[in-house]
Amino acid sequence: MRTHSFLTVLLWSCMFYVIHMTPSQKRTNKNSHSERITGLSENDGKTLHRTKRGWMWNQFFLLEEYTGPDTQYVGKLHTDQDKGDGNLKYILTGDGAGSLFVIDENTGDIHAAKKLDREEKSLYVLRAKAIDRKTGRQVEPESEFIIKIHDINDNEPKFTKDMYTASIPEMSGVGTPVIQVTATDADDANYGNSAKVVYSILQGQPYFSVDPETGIIKTALPDMSRENREQYQVVIQAKDMGGQMGGLSGTTTVNITLTDVNDNPPRFPQSTYQFSSPESAPPGTPLGRIKANDPDVGENAEIEYSISNGDGSDMFDIITDKDTQEGIITVKKHLDFENKVLYTLRVEATNTHPDPRFLQLGPFKDTALVKISVEDIDEPPVFSRPWYLIDVDEDAKEGSIIGQVVAQDPDIAKNAIKYSVDRHTDLDRIFNIYSGNGSLFVSKPLDREETPWHNITVIATEINNPKQSSQIPVFIRILDINDHAPEFANYYETFVCENAKAGQLIQTVSAIDKDQPPRGHKFFFELVPEFAVHPNFSVVDNKDNTAGIMTRRNGYSRSKTSTYLLPIIIFDNDYPIQSSTGTLTIRVCACDSRGNMQSCNAEALLLPAGLSTGALVAILLCIIILLVLVVLFTALKRQRKKEPLIISKDDVRDNIVTYNDEGGGEEDTQAFDIGTLRNPEAREESKMRRDVIPETIFQIRRTAPLWENIDVQDFIHRRLKENDLDPAAPPYDSLATYAYEGNDSIANSLSSLESLTTEGNQDYDYLSDWGPRFKKLADMYGGEDSDRD
């Protein structure tokens, strides 16, 4: 038993040694291995036996990427229960069983059916069983074993990026880190040097270097200038096997850019520049550009231009174009060729963002000389002033000179000038100018109150070159003279209470004047000489351009005088003194105890104070009844005058009156209007009476005005009495009444009463054609025996 155990241990040791040495030896068949194992088991002619366990393996090793002509032998499964008679069957399960690994079920030999890759899978776990073919039972318990794949150097190092981009400021010191590159190797880092990577630089020397272990790229040369070279391409190699011969390698490209620093001052490419400018160039006109070269870029190349000194520093300016970094020279003031023809400037260009590290290289600025020549051109006339202000009195006579404008040619030739007024600014042609000397004179009368200011434009033109002209505004102020009289500032509605007391202020009046005296207005108020001592009112000048109207007695009566007219003279204090008379109308009104106006109406004059509403209605009814009675009386009186002398139906005169009554004619359209009683002033006294023959010897008698300061009742009685005593009033002879048809009647009279008396017979047959209305008249005159009848 002890001998059997020793042999088993010896067999396992030999199998481990054989399998471990398989990478350097090719196993072409399984017989040689079987014989080797058999030889070991038959040492000294003794047979080994095992009682507890018959498996003779635990772990196998296999090389990856095997490329031999036969399948790679892995190992052999064997149990001491196997008698070699073919009764046992070996079965393999687990990772890759049947596909990657196949087993000979009779002998237990295991082969790798395919090429294996450790980087995909480094070990496989399998399980083995030995089964009795006859009984189908396991002769050994199922056991697990491992197949490890040994690594070979079959993977080259690979960088994390195919291309790297990096930048570093120019002028950096030697050894300044730029970027770190990293390469990885898929081989087993724990087995040999297959995964040990070493970095080296293939391209980019002598400017850069790389750390072989870390892959950090560094600068290798000092003071590398971006202006000389900006882009660098560096190729880095990563090699495994520690960089030894036979190792695999990979490469990557690193693009390195030198960034700019302000290590270069600006420099003018030339020391002197020359420009020219016409003397007519307005301020702000660009004359030219200069540029200082700076090889730096970005803000390091930003330049500020300025004029340091020179005799033209106050006439010119320079500004910086931020886009092109150029200096633009512009005109600052108006140039004059006749005054100066050449200017010299010293222009300075300075970096706006200097780097303190490079200040020892010198000042970061440069200067250049700029010469500017002024060109002479034909300039328009120049006025002696930018504008003119002329004062003129508004009473200036036509043709009088009010002022003068002066212009001259600024050129050396001193061409003659002619003057004119721009008529667009003087459409009414109030002003004119002498073309030879620029004297302005008045052409029409002036009125300050209508137009206090006149703004005209005067044009000066060169006689030899009419295209050269200039214009100037002329402001003409019209000075006031006292040519307007003062007048009341407002229309005053003034009243005085019937119960007013003497010395009471009833109205304050003020005045206005269209004139504008330089010392201001000063007005004086007084009554006209005819009313210097007015019995009812007085005027008190308040010495502040106002006056007070005062009462001079106690109590006023509307029944006696309802309205007072108070003429007031208003004076000013300017020269010559102007005055006007304004009439103030003062009404007499009923007021309460506090002086508040209650009523000023005319109909209220007939009513005693304190009448009730019923009494007022009764009085109005009485007046209406009285008016109706007067109208009826007049109508009855006229009716009696129209009664015919003969009332017989056969009376010819009755028929003549009936058919010959034409009234007053077409002009008789103005009947008596009762409105005349209410408004007597509306009557038309110039109208002729409609019922009076125009040729009458009586003249219509004009009566004196009776409606002023009297009441309506008194007016009616007087008018009735006047008409009763008027000899020209109706009634008149019927002949005169019916014969008058009016002034503008188109139809002739049908009456025969005024017909010419002739001895001969007259033919009245045409009356029969006038219709049934004239039948009676036709019978009376149309028959032959009418006269006899």
Side-chain angles (χ1 to χ4, degrees), residues 312-520:
S313 58
D314 58 339
M315 301 298 296
F316 301 93
D317 198 2
I318 186 169
I319 58 177
T320 303
D321 188 334
K322 298 299 182 182
D323 296 329
T324 62
Q325 298 302 314
E326 293 176 318
I328 305 174
I329 299 176
T330 61
V331 178
K332 187 176 182 181
K333 295 182 180 180
H334 287 285
L335 304 175
D336 188 1
F337 174 83
E338 290 71 24
N339 185 25
K340 190 175 180 63
V341 298
L342 182 63
Y343 294 90
T344 302
L345 307 175
R346 184 164 294 279
V347 177
E348 184 178 86
T350 307
N351 274 144
T352 58
H353 300 86
D355 193 332
R357 296 178 299 172
F358 306 102
L359 292 179
Q360 71 276 5
L361 300 178
F364 277 73
K365 61 183 179 180
D366 195 14
T367 59
L369 195 65
V370 178
K371 295 182 179 180
I372 301 174
S373 59
V374 181
E375 299 175 352
D376 184 27
I377 63 170
D378 189 5
E379 298 179 272
V382 177
F383 285 91
S384 60
R385 301 179 187 176
W387 48 271
Y388 290 86
L389 174 62
I390 299 176
D391 293 333
V392 56
D393 293 331
E394 66 175 322
D395 61 345
K397 303 300 180 181
E398 296 181 16
S400 58
I401 296 177
I402 61 174
Q404 184 182 19
V405 297
V406 178
Q408 63 178 359
D409 183 10
D411 298 320
I412 298 177
K414 300 298 180 182
N415 294 324
I417 305 297
K418 67 176 182 179
Y419 302 90
S420 62
V421 176
D422 185 357
R423 290 305 172 188
H424 293 90
T425 60
D426 185 22
L427 298 176
D428 297 330
R429 295 181 174 270
I430 299 175
F431 303 95
N432 211 331
I433 191 170
Y434 290 108
S435 62
N437 58 9
S439 296
L440 287 164
F441 60 91
V442 179
S443 299
K444 292 183 179 181
L446 303 175
D447 187 358
R448 188 203 66 85
E449 287 70 33
E450 181 180 351
T451 307
W453 284 89
H454 294 272
N455 301 329
I456 65 174
T457 300
V458 175
I459 302 173
T461 307
E462 291 185 12
I463 296 178
N464 296 335
N465 187 6
K467 293 183 179 180
Q468 294 298 332
S469 65
S470 58
Q471 57 186 19
I472 200 75
V474 178
F475 307 103
I476 302 174
R477 177 169 54 195
I478 309 302
L479 301 179
D480 184 43
I481 63 171
N482 195 25
D483 58 344
H484 290 84
E487 57 188 13
F488 280 132
N490 299 295
Y491 173 75
Y492 295 100
E493 295 184 355
T494 306
F495 71 94
V496 61
C497 296
E498 290 182 312
N499 56 356
K501 303 297 182 181
Q504 182 176 339
L505 176 66
I506 63 173
Q507 181 68 56
T508 299
V509 296
S510 60
I512 58 174
D513 194 338
K514 294 181 179 179
D515 296 321
Q516 292 291 335
R519 295 183 298 274

Side-chain angles (χ1 to χ4, degrees), residues 242-354:
Q244 297 177 4
M245 294 293 294
L248 303 179
S249 64
T251 60
T252 187
T253 301
V254 182
N255 292 323
I256 301 175
T257 303
L258 296 183
T259 59
D260 185 60
V261 297
N262 194 5
D263 58 339
N264 294 280
R267 291 289 181 264
F268 283 106
Q270 59 192 70
S271 60
T272 303
Y273 295 85
Q274 290 186 348
F275 299 99
S276 63
S277 171
E279 61 176 335
S280 62
T285 302
L287 302 181
R289 293 171 176 252
I290 61 175
K291 184 176 182 180
N293 297 326
D294 191 336
D296 297 323
V297 295
E299 68 175 14
N300 297 323
E302 292 182 1
I303 301 174
E304 188 70 28
Y305 296 90
S306 61
I307 298 176
S308 59
N309 54 42
D311 56 2
S313 58
D314 58 339
M315 301 298 296
F316 301 93
D317 198 2
I318 186 169
I319 58 177
T320 303
D321 188 334
K322 298 299 182 182
D323 296 329
T324 62
Q325 298 302 314
E326 293 176 318
I328 305 174
I329 299 176
T330 61
V331 178
K332 187 176 182 181
K333 295 182 180 180
H334 287 285
L335 304 175
D336 188 1
F337 174 83
E338 290 71 24
N339 185 25
K340 190 175 180 63
V341 298
L342 182 63
Y343 294 90
T344 302
L345 307 175
R346 184 164 294 279
V347 177
E348 184 178 86
T350 307
N351 274 144
T352 58
H353 300 86

Side-chain angles (χ1 to χ4, degrees), residues 210-266:
V210 64
D211 189 301
E213 295 183 358
T214 62
I216 298 176
I217 300 174
K218 302 178 181 180
T219 58
L221 286 181
D223 302 330
M224 287 192 296
S225 176
R226 183 201 64 83
E227 289 74 27
N228 294 332
R229 182 176 178 182
E230 183 177 5
Q231 298 288 340
Y232 294 87
Q233 190 176 71
V234 179
V235 178
I236 302 297
Q237 182 189 65
K239 189 174 184 180
D240 59 11
M241 298 298 293
Q244 297 177 4
M245 294 293 294
L248 303 179
S249 64
T251 60
T252 187
T253 301
V254 182
N255 292 323
I256 301 175
T257 303
L258 296 183
T259 59
D260 185 60
V261 297
N262 194 5
D263 58 339
N264 294 280

Side-chain angles (χ1 to χ4, degrees), residues 632-642 723-724 730-731:
L632 291 176
F633 175 77
T634 304
L636 291 175
K637 188 174 181 180
R638 290 186 177 181
Q639 184 67 28
R640 286 197 298 270
K641 291 181 179 181
K642 292 182 180 180
N723 283 276
D724 290 340

Side-chain angles (χ1 to χ4, degrees), residues 771-787:
R773 292 188 177 184
F774 299 93
K775 185 177 183 303
K776 185 67 176 178
L777 194 61
D779 294 339
M780 292 174 60
Y781 292 91
E784 295 179 356
D785 300 332
S786 59
D787 293 338

